Amino acid sequence: MNLEQKGVDMRIGVDISSLVFKKQVNQIILISGDSDFVPAAKQARREGIDFILDPMRSTIKDDLFEHIDGIRTPSMNFSKIKSN
Protein backbone atom coordinates (compact mmCIF):
# COMPACT_ATOMS: atom_id res chain seq x y z
CA MET A 1 0.00 0.00 0.00
CA ASN A 2 1.41 3.39 -0.98
CA LEU A 3 0.03 6.23 1.15
CA GLU A 4 0.99 9.85 0.56
CA GLN A 5 -0.04 13.08 2.24
CA LYS A 6 0.38 16.13 0.10
CA GLY A 7 -0.78 19.55 1.14
CA VAL A 8 -2.79 18.36 4.14
CA ASP A 9 -1.39 21.09 6.43
CA MET A 10 -2.19 23.73 3.81
CA ARG A 11 -5.77 22.49 3.48
CA ILE A 12 -6.27 22.51 7.24
CA GLY A 13 -4.83 26.05 7.36
CA VAL A 14 -7.28 27.17 4.66
CA ASP A 15 -10.15 25.59 6.60
CA ILE A 16 -9.06 27.43 9.76
CA SER A 17 -8.93 30.73 7.85
CA SER A 18 -12.36 30.12 6.37
CA LEU A 19 -13.90 29.39 9.78
CA VAL A 20 -12.25 32.49 11.23
CA PHE A 21 -13.28 34.93 8.51
CA LYS A 22 -16.86 33.63 8.39
CA LYS A 23 -16.99 34.07 12.18
CA GLN A 24 -18.26 30.50 12.57
CA VAL A 25 -16.13 29.74 15.64
CA ASN A 26 -14.83 31.52 18.70
CA GLN A 27 -12.35 28.81 19.69
CA ILE A 28 -10.20 26.39 17.72
CA ILE A 29 -8.49 23.39 19.27
CA LEU A 30 -5.82 22.03 16.95
CA ILE A 31 -4.45 18.57 17.65
CA SER A 32 -0.96 18.94 16.24
CA GLY A 33 2.43 20.29 17.14
CA ASP A 34 3.47 21.16 13.61
CA SER A 35 4.98 24.61 13.09
CA ASP A 36 3.37 24.72 9.64
CA PHE A 37 0.27 25.97 11.46
CA VAL A 38 1.92 29.19 12.71
CA PRO A 39 0.28 31.38 9.99
CA ALA A 40 -3.18 29.93 10.69
CA ALA A 41 -2.79 30.34 14.46
CA LYS A 42 -1.50 33.89 14.02
CA GLN A 43 -4.40 34.84 11.76
CA ALA A 44 -7.01 33.29 14.05
CA ARG A 45 -5.67 35.15 17.08
CA ARG A 46 -5.57 38.45 15.16
CA GLU A 47 -9.30 37.96 14.50
CA GLY A 48 -10.01 37.34 18.20
CA ILE A 49 -10.30 33.54 18.10
CA ASP A 50 -9.09 31.57 21.11
CA PHE A 51 -6.48 29.19 19.61
CA ILE A 52 -5.68 26.15 21.75
CA LEU A 53 -3.13 23.51 20.85
CA ASP A 54 -3.06 19.85 21.85
CA PRO A 55 0.34 18.54 20.75
CA MET A 56 -0.40 15.11 22.28
CA ARG A 57 2.43 15.45 24.81
CA SER A 58 4.98 16.31 22.11
CA THR A 59 7.27 19.31 22.35
CA ILE A 60 6.53 22.25 20.10
CA LYS A 61 8.79 24.90 18.66
CA ASP A 62 8.94 28.38 20.17
CA ASP A 63 7.55 30.03 17.01
CA LEU A 64 4.33 28.02 17.34
CA PHE A 65 4.13 28.52 21.11
CA GLU A 66 4.18 32.30 20.78
CA HIS A 67 1.08 32.27 18.52
CA ILE A 68 -1.29 30.16 20.60
CA ASP A 69 -3.49 30.99 23.58
CA GLY A 70 -2.87 27.78 25.47
CA ILE A 71 -1.87 24.14 25.45
CA ARG A 72 -4.16 21.38 26.64
CA THR A 73 -3.41 17.69 26.59
CA PRO A 74 -5.99 15.66 28.45
CA SER A 75 -4.56 12.93 30.63
CA MET A 76 -6.03 9.53 30.17
CA ASN A 77 -6.29 7.06 33.00
CA PHE A 78 -6.08 3.72 31.22
CA SER A 79 -6.82 1.81 34.41
CA LYS A 80 -10.43 3.05 34.20
CA ILE A 81 -10.93 1.76 30.64
CA LYS A 82 -12.56 -1.65 30.60
CA SER A 83 -12.07 -4.10 27.77
CA ASN A 84 -14.77 -6.50 26.67
Side-chain angles (χ1 to χ4, degrees):
M1 184 185 305
N2 185 13
L3 298 175
E4 290 185 35
Q5 287 186 1
K6 293 189 178 182
V8 174
D9 293 351
M10 181 192 65
R11 289 183 182 103
I12 293 171
V14 169
D15 288 344
I16 290 170
S17 294
S18 178
L19 292 168
V20 167
F21 285 131
K22 292 178 182 177
K23 303 199 183 299
Q24 294 177 322
V25 296
N26 35 353
Q27 184 179 64
I28 292 173
I29 300 173
L30 179 66
I31 301 173
S32 176
D34 193 336
S35 290
D36 289 346
F37 293 109
V38 167
K42 209 170 173 179
Q43 180 183 45
R45 290 184 71 215
R46 265 189 262 139
E47 297 297 319
I49 303 301
D50 190 28
F51 201 93
I52 306 300
L53 188 70
D54 181 350
M56 297 178 63
R57 297 191 178 119
S58 295
T59 57
I60 62 170
K61 294 184 179 176
D62 290 340
D63 61 339
L64 180 58
F65 184 77
E66 79 178 70
H67 296 293
I68 60 172
D69 292 305
I71 294 179
R72 294 185 189 153
T73 298
S75 62
M76 293 186 67
N77 186 346
F78 290 104
S79 65
K80 292 184 179 183
I81 299 173
K82 295 180 182 179
S83 61
N84 293 331

